[in-house]
Amino acid sequence: MSQKTHGGVSRIDSISKYGHRSSLDHSPHELFIKLDELQGTTWVERARWIKYEEELEPETGQWGHPHISQLSFQGVVNLRLSLEKCSLLLDRPASNFSAVVQQV
């Protein structure tokens, strides 16, 4: 347990055996990701992920069938190197990038 004072108000955070604060929301959230590619001076949407990946068919302009994305071996190696050499900021109580930067 740790006690923090924020704006004159005391708050007690309990830290679980896994190291995360129980006062944070750890429930799964809906996630939508889209991949845009810069072509000349305009951004063109190429793919999107809503649970599964969908790619835009350039000939028809329609979204293809949803499928599970595959990682290349080089992508897995890059991920491993990033995890070994980079800092990870997990469980930051922030809703945007600038709030995370202020905490660091």
Side-chain angles (χ1 to χ4, degrees):
M1 293 237 184
S2 65
Q3 185 170 355
K4 295 183 179 181
T5 304
H6 181 63
V9 176
S10 278
R11 187 182 72 164
I12 296 178
D13 285 340
S14 61
I15 298 177
S16 75
K17 67 179 181 177
Y18 300 110
H20 68 270
R21 294 184 184 100
S22 61
S23 63
L24 299 176
D25 180 16
H26 292 281
S27 62
H29 301 286
E30 293 291 324
L31 186 64
F32 173 77
I33 301 170
K34 75 177 189 175
L35 172 68
D36 291 346
E37 186 177 277
L38 185 61
Q39 290 186 342
T41 59
T42 59
W43 288 95
V44 179
E45 193 171 10
R46 290 291 178 206
R48 65 183 180 184
W49 289 261
I50 311 172
K51 202 175 209 181
Y52 300 106
E53 180 179 10
E54 298 177 38
E55 294 178 347
L56 187 65
E57 302 292 338
E59 300 86 29
T60 62
Q62 295 180 342
W63 292 105
H65 295 290
H67 61 278
I68 297 174
S69 302
Q70 296 179 355
L71 289 175
S72 67
F73 177 73
Q74 187 62 42
V76 174
V77 170
N78 287 340
L79 175 63
R80 189 191 93 216
L81 292 173
S82 295
L83 291 173
E84 288 175 352
K85 296 180 180 180
C86 298
S87 299
L88 292 177
L89 300 173
L90 302 176
D91 288 342
R92 301 304 322 174
S95 60
N96 57 39
F97 182 70
S98 62
V100 172
V101 170
Q102 289 176 351
Q103 293 178 15
V104 176

